[in-house]
Amino acid sequence: MSAAPEHNPTMARMSLAERLEPHAPVLLIIALMILGLIAIPSTSSWLTLTVSGLAMGMMIFIMASGLTLVFGLMDVINFGHGAFVSVGAFVGISFLLMLEHMTGAPSLWLNLTAMMVAIVGAMAATGLMGWAFEKVIVKPVYGHHLKQILVTMGGLIVVEQLIIVLWGPEEIFINRPEALKGAITFAGAALEKYRLVAVGIGLVVFLAMRWVLRRTKIGLIVRAGVENGEMVEALGYRLRLVFVGVFIAGSALAGLGGVLWGLYQEVITAHMGNQTMILIFIVVIIGGLGSVEGCFIGALMVGLMQNYVAFLEPKLALISNIGLMVAILMWRPMGMIPVVKAK
Amino acid sequence: MSDPILSLKGVRTNIAQYHILQGVDLDVPRGAVTMLLGRNGVGKTTTLRTIIGHWRAHEGQVLFDGQDIARLPTPAIARLGIGFVPEDMGIFSDLSVEENMTLAAVSGPIDSTRLEWLFSVFPALGTFWKKDAGTLSGGQKQMLSIARAMIEERRLYLIDEPTKGLAPAIISTMARALRELKEQGASILLVEQNFSVARALGDSANVMDDGRMVWSGEMKQLATDAELQERLMGLSMENH
């Protein structure tokens, strides 16, 4: 056999369009903001709506990020994910009600401490619940999509009824912590303090998730597992354990999202998680199954779209996100940043 | 001859209602390249996938260094020191070349000496180190797939058709890499359809047909016996 010629590959210079193509989803957010700026007559209204849309998007992202990873990693469709949102909201708000002396005090420090306690409590409760949910409800139906849908929906109904048993059937109205009430004025626009805090928390969660996924070995395993779990196992990693960890983390994040969503709406009900599932699924689908970045971008687009359209044409607000999903899927049928291969 | 590093005894594997492996017996000697040959669809890939645990053997034993691994989960089998290069290469396209290799170094950070050796064998990996593996050409992906298995010393390598669909120059690079691995004393079970590669690398050969092993012996014997080749595989190596 003759020796191989020297393998000396070279790289061609990419055109501008080729260089921009991978960033198209991010550019879409900017394009949506610009469209909003053109369509909304007042700049201050646009700024208010944009912050509101980003805050809503961040909260949806926090709730949806776990679901996209769970689907991507183990091909599990969890219709019960909304249960963690509801339980997170109820546990978190219960903590806030217990700490009313702190949330009612005119001290940012005391308010944030109370919120932190509520968030940690909600995340711990939903993380633990996620562990049990995976073990009892999800594990027996691996590989069976129809059973997963039926069983996880059943789990959601059971959890909703348990919430009603524990907290009662009535809606619970909430007072936000004192320092997070009201708005600040910026460039003539009223920006709600709470929404700014929600944007901050959402950004921190996204950057932390990105860091873990990009910079740690466990993150590499998760990303590789989403793409080809069989091969990850053939390298020697126990993907099942990783999946349980991701399920717990995803449930805890949904719990965090529940607390933030409850404070955003200023009312919580046992069915709130179920109601948010439509938005969560839209975000997961348009982002691309298994993609955290896609989920983040999709959530921001959904938040912005909902707020802009609700201002311009309130009757269209409900269907605007369905329209957005249809448009994105016509452009990229596997979602904006597809990670999972067809299985 | 010392005990084989891997022995399959009467292995039967079913996929859905299909009986793919119907009692496979196979010995893989230590420090040698064992070829697994046969026509398409006779069960070569299923044999490798059964060994690594992707398919479960319904009957029979898979003995690795004397231990029956037929019921172990895939990660436990891999951790015993078995490297696997699947037919579809199994690279993670969303991860960079560097990340693919980092992930394959299961026991810790990448050994720099071994990495330098791999760069000398597959220079393209160094060139595209930070690039997403999905952007590599077919040949480069195959190099990555093999390099990933070789980034740590394994006790046994299972390699499924590493030259499939590759240009002759890349096939030559692959053959050189496998030869260097062989010279280091590695035990390799290699499925290969390219007979010149099989002839150049193989120490022993096993031919499968219809889910069974129909012939086992020295590669040299098979390579020089056209009538045997014709009878076992329906073709002659001279023509390949």
Side-chain angles (χ1 to χ4, degrees), chain B residues 19-158:
Chain B
H19 296 206
I20 307 297
L21 301 187
Q22 303 184 35
V24 170
D25 296 302
L26 169 71
D27 281 341
V28 177
R30 288 169 203 277
V33 177
T34 305
M35 303 304 306
L36 191 54
L37 307 171
R39 284 177 273 229
N40 284 340
V42 296
K44 304 185 296 294
T45 293
T46 304
T47 302
L48 295 199
R49 288 175 63 84
T50 301
I51 296 167
I52 198 68
H54 285 163
W55 296 119
R56 288 279 146 223
H58 290 84
E59 273 181 53
Q61 286 183 306
V62 180
L63 298 169
F64 180 66
D65 240 349
Q67 179 190 356
D68 190 358
I69 59 172
R71 305 285 171 267
L72 292 183
T74 298
I77 295 171
R79 292 264 177 182
L80 290 172
I82 299 180
F84 179 51
V85 180
E87 190 181 5
D88 66 2
M89 300 179 269
I91 66 149
F92 306 116
S93 2
D94 195 40
L95 272 58
S96 67
V97 172
E98 180 186 15
E99 288 171 332
N100 267 273
M101 297 292 274
T102 304
L103 200 59
V106 178
S107 57
I110 294 175
D111 176 354
S112 56
T113 313
R114 205 161 169 93
L115 187 63
E116 284 306 315
W117 167 58
L118 286 172
F119 282 165
S120 72
V121 181
F122 303 122
L125 296 186
T127 309
F128 296 112
W129 189 239
K130 297 282 179 190
K131 291 274 171 194
D132 280 355
T135 62
L136 301 181
S137 70
Q140 289 157 355
K141 282 178 183 165
Q142 189 61 275
M143 290 179 200
L144 173 60
S145 180
I146 293 187
R148 207 172 51 179
M150 288 157 60
I151 190 67
E152 286 186 335
E153 200 175 330
R154 321 274 183 199
R155 293 163 70 195
L156 172 68
Y157 296 85
L158 308 173

Side-chain angles (χ1 to χ4, degrees), chain A residues 1-11 14 213-215 217 220-221 223-225 227-239 338-339 341, chain B residues 49 52 54 74-75 78-79 84 86 90-95 99 102-106 108 123-124 127-128 131 140 143 148 169-170 172-173 175 196 200:
Chain A
M1 198 181 298
S2 61
E6 196 62 37
H7 192 69
N8 195 15
T10 55
M11 281 177 273
M14 289 195 292
L213 288 171
R214 300 265 160 195
R215 297 273 175 262
K217 193 138 187 180
L220 276 186
I221 296 169
R223 285 166 58 210
E227 193 180 337
N228 188 344
E230 201 175 57
M231 193 61 223
V232 172
E233 294 208 311
L235 290 175
Y237 297 104
R238 294 169 68 188
L239 204 55
V339 178
K341 305 264 182 301
Chain B
R49 288 175 63 84
I52 198 68
H54 285 163
T74 298
R79 292 264 177 182
F84 179 51
I91 66 149
F92 306 116
S93 2
D94 195 40
L95 272 58
E99 288 171 332
T102 304
L103 200 59
V106 178
T127 309
F128 296 112
K131 291 274 171 194
Q140 289 157 355
M143 290 179 200
R148 207 172 51 179
I170 309 282
S172 180
T173 304
S196 47

Side-chain angles (χ1 to χ4, degrees), chain A residues 1, chain B residues 35 37 163 171 192-199 240:
Chain A
M1 198 181 298
Chain B
M35 303 304 306
L37 307 171
T163 63
I171 291 177
E192 184 54 74
Q193 298 276 24
N194 183 315
F195 290 116
S196 47
V197 173
R199 192 167 32 203
H240 287 75

Side-chain angles (χ1 to χ4, degrees), chain A residues 77-311:
Chain A
I77 302 173
N78 181 14
F79 272 67
H81 194 70
F84 306 118
V85 174
S86 299
V87 170
F90 274 85
V91 172
I93 298 308
S94 298
F95 272 107
L96 284 179
L97 291 175
M98 278 192 287
L99 299 171
E100 220 159 9
H101 60 285
M102 289 169 81
T103 58
S107 154
L108 179 64
W109 176 243
L110 281 177
N111 290 175
L112 288 181
T113 306
M115 255 191 92
M116 198 50 76
V117 171
I119 285 171
V120 171
M123 290 180 78
T126 49
L128 195 66
M129 182 183 150
W131 172 77
F133 200 88
E134 195 280 334
K135 218 170 177 56
V136 176
I137 294 178
V138 176
K139 195 177 167 186
V141 290
Y142 276 141
H144 305 282
H145 281 163
L146 183 61
K147 286 182 185 172
Q148 285 167 10
I149 292 169
L150 294 172
V151 168
T152 55
M153 278 189 95
L156 172 66
I157 293 167
V158 170
V159 171
E160 281 181 353
Q161 295 307 309
L162 282 174
I163 289 174
I164 290 171
V165 169
L166 290 171
W167 279 278
E170 304 300 327
E171 300 170 324
I172 298 178
F173 291 90
I174 312 153
N175 269 327
R176 285 180 194 157
E178 212 52 43
L180 302 182
K181 287 179 181 170
I184 58 166
T185 308
F186 176 77
L191 308 178
E192 267 193 50
K193 289 179 192 171
Y194 179 72
R195 289 176 184 178
L196 291 173
V197 169
V199 170
I201 293 175
L203 264 181
V204 168
V205 169
F206 172 66
L207 292 175
M209 280 184 83
R210 204 178 144 82
W211 183 83
V212 169
L213 288 171
R214 300 265 160 195
R215 297 273 175 262
T216 66
K217 193 138 187 180
I218 191 80
L220 276 186
I221 296 169
V222 170
R223 285 166 58 210
V226 167
E227 193 180 337
N228 188 344
E230 201 175 57
M231 193 61 223
V232 172
E233 294 208 311
L235 290 175
Y237 297 104
R238 294 169 68 188
L239 204 55
R240 158 104 196 109
L241 279 185
V242 177
F243 171 70
V244 174
V246 168
F247 200 94
I248 291 171
S251 309
L253 282 173
L256 164 63
V259 180
L260 296 178
W261 192 253
L263 285 169
Y264 177 69
Q265 303 277 21
E266 297 184 277
V267 60
I268 56 172
T269 69
H271 309 294
M272 63 181 281
N274 199 358
Q275 286 154 1
T276 56
M277 281 307 283
I278 295 169
L279 284 178
I280 290 173
F281 271 123
I282 289 175
V283 162
V284 168
I285 291 166
I286 67 177
L289 299 170
S291 165
V292 170
E293 281 90 354
C295 179
F296 182 71
I297 293 168
L300 295 188
M301 289 184 73
V302 163
L304 288 170
M305 177 70 98
Q306 177 103 353
N307 277 271
Y308 291 155
V309 176
F311 176 81

